[in-house]
Amino acid sequence: MSPPDRPPAVLEARGVVKQYGVTAGLFSAPRTLTALDGVGISIEKGSAVGLVGESGSGKSTLARLLLGVEAPSGGEILFDGAPLGTLGRRAVARRVQPVFQDPFGSLNPAHSIAEIVGLPLAVHRIGDRHSRRARVAELLDQVGLPQRVASARPRELSGGQRQRVAIARALAIRPDVLICDEPTSALDVSVQAQILNLLADLRRETGVAMLLISHDLAVVQHLCERVAILYLGRIVEEGPAGAVLKDPRHPYALALARSVLTVGGGTGLPDLGLGTQWPNPLDIPSGCRFRPRCPRAIPECAGTDPALRTVAGSGASGTHRSAACIRVEAEPA
Ligand SMILES: Nc1ncnc2c1ncn2[C@@H]1O[C@H](COP(=O)(O)OP(=O)(O)O)[C@@H](O)[C@H]1O
Ligand SMILES: [Mg+2]
């Protein structure tokens, strides 16, 4: 939730709930899985916001809602203050573009790089053949690809180059917001930093706003002004990215901040040191949902489902911080 004195958001989620009906087997009754439970996030014009959480916390679900490819079960998504549902899929795609984790899966293997990057221009009927070709050349330059890749197919490129192609395609129609869902997770460690630097440069050059999704708080801190931390479908901490990394308040944010990448662990996921009790959205604990894994839990945590509250002394606007934990001192209401 953004305090009233912050600049208006270009893209915003308000109290968003997303539920899916799931069946475990042929004879079991369908159950409701709540992937997002009252999530608020605000992306200001030209800003970069990080969204961090473990696998299964609901990050990609929020990404799909912000892209308008799925509708929320409750709450609303607003673009420039207008509900996304009223804009239409095509209009939303014109303004909000995705960059996915696996560039290979999202690039048509039969198309040349020039065709892939130019496709959004053709779909949205922007310019003629000649101006589109010029725009593709400009985009390749912008993402640091040599012009000779224009006639290549995706399989001829490296993973990092393919992600550059996906980014060029996302930028082709000059969207207002990029939704980057773990854009470096599938890449070699050596190229991850290059792609993050590219995103930072493009943001400066084009003024595009970004939501950067990652399971790594450090990655997000590098690029984003603010960060929201998602745990089992709820934002548990929100604030300036640097402050949250340096001085996390919610115990889960603290675990993320302390986590180190497990070298050679195979998963590439941070070791949170929180034990093996994997969170399950079909079995959300009563009281505070983080309680079973929380090193700071006290008996009261079983009886209270903590709301996101302003952290005491966090100030207004740019320094505003909030956390959903009864053990974190909140600003008196
Ligand atoms: N289409 C779907 N149907 C049923 N469950 C889903 C669907 N999409 C996501 N989920 C569930 O919602 C939860 C959040 O998933 P997701 O948003 O992919 O998390 P993340 O991207 O953080 O790993 C998971 O438990 C996942 O299994
Ligand atoms: Mg995901």
Side-chain angles (χ1 to χ4, degrees):
M1 236 38 86
S2 67
D5 52 351
R6 288 248 297 276
V10 58
L11 190 60
E12 187 179 1
R14 278 198 199 156
V16 160
V17 175
K18 183 63 184 178
Q19 296 182 315
Y20 296 105
V22 292
T23 38
L26 200 52
F27 302 107
S28 51
R31 299 175 64 188
T32 301
L33 182 152
T34 303
L36 296 172
D37 190 6
V39 166
I41 200 163
S42 173
I43 306 168
E44 291 157 20
K45 202 171 178 336
S47 77
V49 174
L51 180 67
V52 178
E54 282 163 294
S55 178
S57 56
K59 305 182 298 296
S60 295
T61 300
L62 185 58
R64 289 193 298 275
L65 298 179
L66 291 169
L67 285 159
V69 297
E70 281 181 24
S73 318
E76 52 184 2
I77 310 278
L78 303 170
F79 184 91
D80 265 347
L84 221 55
T86 64
L87 296 175
R89 278 282 284 281
R90 206 183 157 84
V92 176
R94 185 87 171 72
R95 319 296 295 276
V96 188
Q97 279 283 309
V99 176
F100 296 111
Q101 176 175 351
D102 171 19
F104 204 44
S106 66
L107 305 181
N108 188 329
H111 287 178
S112 71
I113 300 307
E115 285 167 336
I116 290 169
V117 173
L119 189 64
L121 298 168
V123 167
H124 292 274
R125 298 198 188 88
I126 296 166
D128 54 19
R129 277 177 89 90
H130 181 75
S131 69
R132 282 179 208 155
R133 198 172 312 133
R135 175 76 179 134
V136 167
E138 181 187 32
L139 285 158
L140 292 179
D141 251 359
Q142 219 170 14
V143 300
L145 286 170
Q147 294 299 325
R148 63 183 149 75
V149 305
S151 55
R153 310 283 139 173
R155 77 182 126 75
E156 298 170 69
L157 305 187
S158 69
Q161 288 176 317
R162 287 199 286 258
Q163 197 57 298
R164 287 174 194 268
V165 171
I167 292 167
R169 175 180 59 182
L171 288 172
I173 52 176
R174 306 181 199 276
D176 298 272
V177 188
L178 284 189
I179 305 289
C180 307
D181 192 354
E182 309 216 36
T184 61
S185 304
L187 303 176
D188 289 344
V189 175
S190 58
V191 285
Q192 289 183 359
Q194 294 170 17
I195 296 296
L196 291 172
N197 287 335
L198 172 65
L199 288 173
D201 291 345
L202 290 170
R203 215 192 119 196
R204 248 190 324 272
E205 287 164 21
T206 66
V208 70
M210 282 183 195
L211 180 72
L212 179 64
I213 298 178
S214 176
H215 52 254
D216 188 342
L217 195 52
V219 160
V220 157
Q221 195 257 344
H222 177 76
L223 212 88
C224 302
E225 286 94 35
R226 297 190 72 84
V227 63
I229 296 178
L230 198 59
Y231 187 79
L232 268 181
R234 286 268 183 89
I235 306 264
V236 295
E237 178 149 358
E238 199 276 336
V244 171
L245 183 66
K246 212 166 65 208
D247 175 27
R249 301 299 174 84
H250 191 283
Y252 180 61
L254 182 64
L256 284 175
R258 280 193 185 151
S259 70
V260 284
L261 276 173
T262 42
V263 178
T267 63
L269 294 172
D271 178 2
L272 296 182
L274 292 174
T276 52
Q277 195 152 12
W278 202 254
N280 176 5
L282 277 170
D283 185 20
I284 291 178
S286 62
C288 173
R289 58 193 60 208
F290 184 57
R291 172 175 56 92
R293 299 170 82 192
C294 184
R296 296 195 65 203
I298 51 175
E300 285 88 313
C301 299
T304 323
D305 187 359
L308 203 52
R309 304 178 299 172
T310 297
V311 169
S314 76
S317 196
T319 59
H320 183 265
R321 300 185 62 170
S322 49
C325 174
I326 58 170
R327 304 215 55 193
V328 174
E329 197 192 337
E331 198 75 81

